[in-house]
Amino acid sequence: MGLFRRGPKRDPRDLPRDGEFSFFSDREGGVFRSQVRQAFAEQGLEVTVYAGVVTDSGGRRFGLGNLAAVCHRDRRGERSWPGLIRDHVGKVLRTMDGPQPLEILSTDEIRACLYPRVVAEETLPASDAFRYGHEPAEGLREVLALDLPDAVQMLSEDSLRDVGDIAELRIRALNNLRALPVEGHETVRRPDGASFDVLFGDSFFTASRVLVLGELVERLMGTPLTADGALVALPFRHQLGFHRICDAQVIPALQGMAEFAAAGYQDAAGAISPHVFWWRRGVMTPLSEPDGAGLRVVVDGDFQHMLERLVDDEA
């Protein structure tokens, strides 16, 4: 598992870049969009391809950001793109053209596949459709979603009205999240002795397990978090990093996790956040901020006081 997500060999970075997806060269962007158009045509649908979306004659819009990132990061390189694009387009059209899950599933079936999902707020529609969602941290939003065989469907406030009370549905969704199996777990150990743990898997809700972090850590490690909490990073939907804060090793761990978060977030499908957060009893405080083209680590007074206490304890 390449936790720091080095991508496959691509066109050299000194070639002109694609205006929408800078991880593509101009040539790669052209190849990608041409194959997208071809995949829709194979499904009998003529589309107009723009930089970041395609539209059909009925006005439906299909975003290309996640698909572009999936193609870019696939280690097989450009030869894998046609298959990836055809599969994606097929699933999207089956989901949109077929019967809607909330219309054909029973209430019990809906509740059985309901999960909370943490997403970057900027990826949500500009409308108030998801205003019901909690904000785990600035820039993040927790919404309810259905885990379906071919897709994950986020549910708007309007769509939930006939299903039940949102607060009660969230409780059920969190219980479903707790019951998910752990697909992959790895401890990253640094030369300076610091370490942090990473959960990874195919589930779209892997990063969202930050919502039940305390229980998850105790389940994995056999011991609960201390009152000082943990460092957490959720760079994209398939990874969750954490470090249990118990001594001064939190200092080098913070640096390592900052690198991990930035590497995972870059060009990822389902990107969530490049930041490291201080997690305490479910409250997440960011420990980094934009600095030019990158990020720099910043700490508030409470975190600084905790660091000083942990260093003094080891003196």
Side-chain angles (χ1 to χ4, degrees):
M1 177 66 181
L3 295 177
F4 288 84
R5 299 180 57 80
R6 290 184 179 176
K9 184 176 180 180
R10 296 297 187 206
D11 284 351
R13 293 293 299 183
D14 58 356
L15 291 180
R17 311 313 298 168
D18 184 82
E20 181 73 17
F21 306 120
S22 61
F23 45 78
F24 283 155
S25 67
D26 270 349
R27 183 197 66 81
E28 290 168 334
V31 170
F32 169 74
R33 293 182 183 88
S34 174
Q35 292 178 356
V36 167
R37 181 184 288 106
Q38 177 63 30
F40 276 100
E42 290 172 1
Q43 296 285 337
L45 194 63
E46 184 176 347
V47 295
T48 302
V49 182
Y50 298 96
V53 299
V54 300
T55 61
D56 66 10
S57 58
R60 295 184 300 181
R61 294 168 60 87
F62 307 87
L64 297 178
N66 280 344
L67 178 57
V70 167
C71 289
H72 171 66
R73 302 300 288 181
D74 194 286
R75 294 185 177 278
R76 294 169 295 175
E78 222 170 288
R79 61 187 174 87
S80 69
W81 293 7
L84 292 171
I85 293 170
R86 281 195 300 270
D87 288 347
H88 178 84
V89 169
K91 288 178 180 179
V92 167
L93 292 178
R94 285 194 299 273
T95 299
M96 296 187 72
D97 295 338
Q100 294 305 299
L102 292 180
E103 297 174 356
I104 61 174
L105 296 178
S106 69
T107 299
D108 286 344
E109 290 172 327
I110 291 171
R111 289 171 179 263
C113 61
L114 189 66
Y115 292 87
R117 184 176 178 191
V118 177
V119 298
E121 195 160 22
E122 63 185 17
T123 64
L124 294 172
S127 68
D128 292 332
F130 297 95
R131 62 186 175 185
Y132 70 87
H134 295 217
E135 293 184 354
E138 184 178 355
L140 303 181
R141 179 77 67 169
E142 173 198 335
V143 300
L144 296 178
L146 294 177
D147 189 15
L148 304 170
D150 285 336
V152 170
Q153 179 179 338
M154 295 190 295
L155 301 175
S156 67
E157 187 170 8
D158 286 344
S159 67
L160 289 166
R161 287 177 179 167
D162 295 331
V163 181
D165 177 75
I166 291 179
E168 293 178 358
L169 292 172
R170 180 175 185 263
I171 292 172
R172 178 57 186 266
L174 285 168
N175 287 335
N176 289 342
L177 186 68
R178 292 183 178 97
L180 284 177
V182 174
E183 296 179 70
H185 172 215
E186 182 173 321
T187 300
V188 178
R189 303 189 186 279
R190 291 168 54 87
D192 55 16
S195 65
F196 59 93
D197 291 85
V198 178
L199 259 63
F200 52 88
D202 293 332
S203 170
F204 275 45
F205 305 99
T206 301
S208 300
R209 298 177 82 148
V210 71
L211 299 172
V212 292
L213 184 71
E215 299 160 71
L216 177 66
V217 170
E218 187 166 5
R219 171 182 166 188
L220 286 173
M221 307 300 189
T223 56
L225 293 170
T226 70
D228 290 326
L231 302 178
V232 296
L234 42 163
F236 67 112
R237 64 193 179 205
H238 300 297
Q239 284 188 356
L240 172 64
F242 65 89
H243 170 83
R244 295 177 295 168
I245 299 175
C246 54
D247 55 35
Q249 287 299 311
V250 64
I251 300 173
L254 175 56
Q255 183 59 45
M257 288 189 66
E259 296 170 5
F260 160 79
Y265 177 80
Q266 185 179 20
D267 308 336
I272 300 176
S273 175
H275 299 289
V276 179
F277 299 89
W278 182 20
W279 184 99
R280 286 178 297 171
R281 302 178 187 88
V283 177
M284 294 168 57
T285 304
L287 297 176
S288 54
E289 65 180 21
D291 180 24
L295 296 170
R296 66 185 180 95
V297 173
V298 295
V299 298
D300 64 12
D302 287 345
F303 192 82
Q304 183 63 39
H305 292 153
M306 181 196 68
L307 293 181
E308 293 171 357
R309 171 169 50 79
L310 293 174
V311 171
D312 288 344
D313 288 345
E314 295 189 1

